[in-house]
Amino acid sequence: MITRRKFNVGLLTTAFLSGLAPKVLYANSREDWDNLPIPPVQKNESTKKGYVKYTINVQKGFTEFFEGVRVPTLGYNGNILGPTLRAKKGDIVEIVVNNKLDEETTVHWHGIIVPGEMDGGPHQRILPGKQWTAKFIVDQQAATVWYHPHGIGTTASQVYWGLGGLFILDDEVSENLNIPNEYGIDDIPIIIQDKRFLNDGRLVYLTSMRDIMFGMLGNTVLVNGAIEPKKTVPRGIVRFRLLNASNARSYLLKFDKQIPIFLIATDGGFIEKPIEINKIFLSPGERIEILADFSSINEGDIVSLEDGNYKFLKFKIGKKGKNYEIPPRLANFNKITKDESFKTRDFVLSGLGHMVNINGKQFDINRIDEIVEIGTTEIWRVSANMGMHRMMINNNGRNYVIHNFHAHGVLFQVLSRNGKPPALHERGWKDTIALRDGDTVELIMKFKKKGIFMYHCHILEHEDNGMMGQFLVKEDKSKGDLV
């Protein structure tokens, strides 16, 4: 039965969402456990050491979210979402993408630092029936990143209908830590999305002007493409790789039982030392890794992951797991200092709906907004200022996440938020950061790859409506041929 649910719409703000009216069984509502879909790891097509090759088909499909109701969806090599890709630091990666849709698409490697021509942004269009090959070397630390479409005006709809998948980067550090590493058993991917269903079980998109203004918010949370799934986990330490793949919704997650939880990685990989936390905040596009210790929970007991009081993922505690540890140290973290900065730039995110903009401008693929020298370090001061639109968000509260900021081609560190040191969970390597109205964050980053890259709001309806700019990384500041 689909009932009335409540879940978080911002950093601290909770809102009621109407559930579906009829008594319909979920397609995955069997009483047995372990119906949480685990995205399969894609098989490497290459036999050469240090060379990874994948083929991805972007295709239409059908998914049965509710028993007896099949709805159209999109997927990579399947009906919805995509396989998990893996590569190791130093690997050469080749990915062949076949577009089997009847509209153009792209595939962006969100969080992977690659040259601009391999980034999979709006300049790497794949027309219907055509193919594109990305080839790059992995030269960053272990991290949980992801891939998704990034066209002009089509990103939000294609992600909403199902396109997205995890990409796990490994290195020697990650392989030598005594932390859970059995994928799908004690190292569990969690892709969180929200969707809007009608009373008859149909999936719908953009049904009101509010969806365009604030971004698409659903009435049901999916995990790995399933509604309220369940999984048995070992009684011990379990690793969760969490991705917020929602179009616009932010989550404040916690377990409904008191258990030790340790943050071990942010967008760009491991932090220096584990940080004990009790709640997990994720805005769209952000990822974190946590270690949850279920040792104190009795075998057979149930622990739920919830947002507000919406318990959307249940775990049954199984038999004792392997003897992992909470490491005292995870990885070296080289902090970038302010005095390394070559330049400071300002980016102001404003507006709602069709009036969104960055620094008063909307996206133009024929315009380069910023020019950056390769190898330099800069501070980007990013703020959200709603101005005349402030009255429209007052009912959501001061803590409502109205925009967030993602930069391609770089990882950054957060120097400050509103003039103060960043929260503990924002002190690792990042590529996406949340902004409430009036917030200002200082981000410091070093540019290591040449090419044209995007920066934008990762509330996808805002991105599609023009809340995006381009920066060119090149040898010098002379303008030259930009596009």
Side-chain angles (χ1 to χ4, degrees):
M1 177 179 178
I2 307 165
T3 58
R4 190 169 183 84
R5 304 292 181 185
K6 189 201 289 185
F7 58 98
N8 188 269
V9 296
L11 183 59
L12 294 174
T13 306
T14 300
F16 285 97
L17 294 175
S18 296
L20 303 180
K23 297 181 179 179
V24 182
L25 289 177
Y26 300 143
N28 62 342
S29 63
R30 301 171 303 167
E31 289 304 315
D32 59 317
W33 283 80
D34 300 315
N35 55 16
L36 171 69
I38 300 295
V41 176
Q42 183 81 347
K43 184 178 179 181
N44 183 6
E45 300 168 22
S46 174
T47 57
K48 293 193 293 184
K49 184 178 180 181
Y51 199 99
V52 176
K53 182 178 181 181
Y54 296 123
T55 299
I56 293 177
N57 296 316
V58 191
Q59 62 193 58
K60 295 181 179 180
F62 287 90
T63 301
E64 187 177 332
F65 296 106
F66 302 100
E67 189 173 354
V69 183
R70 296 174 75 239
V71 298
T73 50
L74 301 178
Y76 295 116
N77 295 355
N79 289 313
I80 191 169
L81 296 177
T84 295
L85 310 181
R86 297 195 82 136
K88 187 176 178 180
K89 186 176 182 179
D91 282 348
I92 299 172
V93 177
E94 178 184 348
I95 305 175
V96 179
V97 182
N98 297 304
N99 183 8
K100 298 189 175 185
L101 304 180
D102 53 11
E103 63 178 349
E104 68 177 52
T105 191
T106 78
V107 182
H108 166 54
W109 321 109
H110 183 133
I112 305 183
I113 312 305
V114 298
E117 62 185 358
M118 296 298 161
D119 185 60
H123 291 282
Q124 289 80 48
R125 299 164 56 206
I126 314 171
L127 297 177
K130 299 299 183 180
Q131 184 181 89
W132 175 66
T133 299
K135 192 172 183 179
F136 53 85
I137 297 174
V138 178
D139 59 359
Q140 62 196 89
Q141 70 168 337
T144 299
V145 296
W146 66 303
Y147 60 100
H148 62 79
H150 209 299
I152 300 176
T154 59
T155 300
S157 61
Q158 291 184 358
V159 170
Y160 184 82
W161 291 110
L163 292 180
L166 283 180
F167 200 136
I168 296 175
L169 304 179
D170 299 302
D171 63 10
E172 290 185 1
V173 173
S174 64
E175 291 174 349
N176 289 324
L177 288 171
N178 184 26
I179 59 177
N181 56 18
E182 287 193 68
Y183 179 81
I185 305 298
D186 54 30
D187 182 354
I188 301 173
I190 303 293
I191 303 173
I192 304 172
Q193 298 172 297
D194 63 328
K195 308 293 183 188
R196 185 178 301 167
F197 293 94
L198 297 180
N199 291 350
D200 58 8
R202 284 180 295 157
L203 178 63
V204 294
Y205 177 63
L206 295 186
T207 61
S208 73
M209 179 57 69
R210 187 175 177 84
D211 300 337
I212 298 171
M213 297 293 286
F214 293 96
M216 182 68 188
L217 299 177
N219 55 16
T220 306
V221 171
L222 274 61
V223 180
N224 298 351
I227 299 174
E228 297 186 10
K230 301 166 286 191
K231 181 166 180 61
T232 301
V233 295
R235 186 170 180 258
I237 297 174
V238 178
R239 179 183 191 175
F240 294 101
R241 302 174 186 262
L242 294 107
L243 158 66
N244 181 356
S246 298
N247 281 39
R249 185 174 298 283
S250 296
Y251 300 89
L252 187 62
L253 306 174
K254 64 181 180 66
F255 291 99
D256 67 347
K257 287 185 171 60
Q258 287 289 105
I259 59 171
I261 308 169
F262 295 88
L263 174 68
I264 62 168
T266 52
D267 297 333
F270 289 123
I271 57 177
E272 187 174 24
K273 299 176 182 178
I275 300 172
E276 188 163 8
I277 58 176
N278 54 28
K279 294 180 180 178
I280 304 154
F281 174 70
L282 287 175
S283 72
E286 290 187 295
R287 294 90 57 210
I288 64 166
E289 295 182 38
I290 62 169
L291 298 178
D293 189 352
F294 297 103
S295 300
S296 63
I297 308 298
N298 294 327
E299 184 177 339
D301 284 358
I302 309 299
V303 178
S304 295
L305 185 64
E306 59 184 13
D307 182 74
N309 69 348
Y310 183 2
K311 303 178 191 298
F312 61 87
L313 177 58
K314 293 182 179 180
F315 299 106
K316 180 187 285 184
I317 308 306
K319 297 187 181 300
K320 187 177 184 302
K322 293 185 177 180
N323 292 320
Y324 297 116
E325 66 174 348
I326 307 297
R329 186 179 181 84
L330 293 162
N332 292 328
F333 184 78
N334 298 318
K335 189 173 181 179
I336 310 175
T337 60
K338 267 191 171 183
D339 58 11
E340 297 178 58
S341 174
F342 172 75
K343 186 174 184 176
T344 297
R345 301 175 193 258
D346 286 289
F347 301 85
V348 181
L349 282 66
S350 301
L352 293 172
H354 296 296
M355 298 181 70
V356 292
N357 65 85
I358 300 179
N359 291 343
K361 298 182 289 186
Q362 292 193 331
F363 181 68
D364 181 348
I365 197 167
N366 297 309
R367 183 191 70 229
I368 296 297
D369 299 285
E370 308 288 340
I371 301 174
V372 177
E373 288 188 62
I374 187 78
T376 60
T377 298
E378 294 190 356
I379 293 173
W380 285 16
R381 192 161 45 218
V382 183
S383 60
N385 186 342
M386 297 309 296
M388 61 180 284
H389 292 96
R390 186 163 291 126
M391 70 181 76
M392 301 180 67
I393 65 171
N394 283 346
N395 290 338
N396 294 319
R398 167 66 181 82
N399 288 306
Y400 184 78
V401 174
I402 196 64
H403 295 303
N404 71 356
F405 185 82
H406 170 55
H408 293 207
V410 292
L411 294 174
F412 55 74
Q413 295 174 16
V414 183
L415 292 174
S416 68
R417 179 182 283 277
N418 300 326
K420 298 178 181 179
L424 292 176
H425 70 277
E426 291 184 332
R427 296 187 186 184
W429 287 108
K430 299 279 295 168
D431 57 51
T432 307
I433 191 163
L435 294 165
R436 295 161 296 269
D437 182 31
D439 276 356
T440 297
V441 292
E442 286 188 308
L443 314 175
I444 192 166
M445 62 200 79
K446 185 171 185 177
F447 301 91
K448 299 180 179 180
K449 301 292 182 182
K450 297 180 185 178
I452 298 173
F453 300 95
M454 304 296 124
Y455 57 86
H456 59 88
C457 178
H458 215 283
I459 293 176
L460 298 182
E461 285 73 26
H462 290 175
E463 174 192 321
D464 278 357
N465 278 317
M467 201 169 211
M468 180 160 65
Q470 301 185 104
F471 65 100
L472 173 68
V473 181
K474 56 186 299 185
E475 288 290 352
D476 55 53
K477 292 187 290 185
S478 61
K479 193 167 185 179
D481 295 322
L482 298 184
V483 181

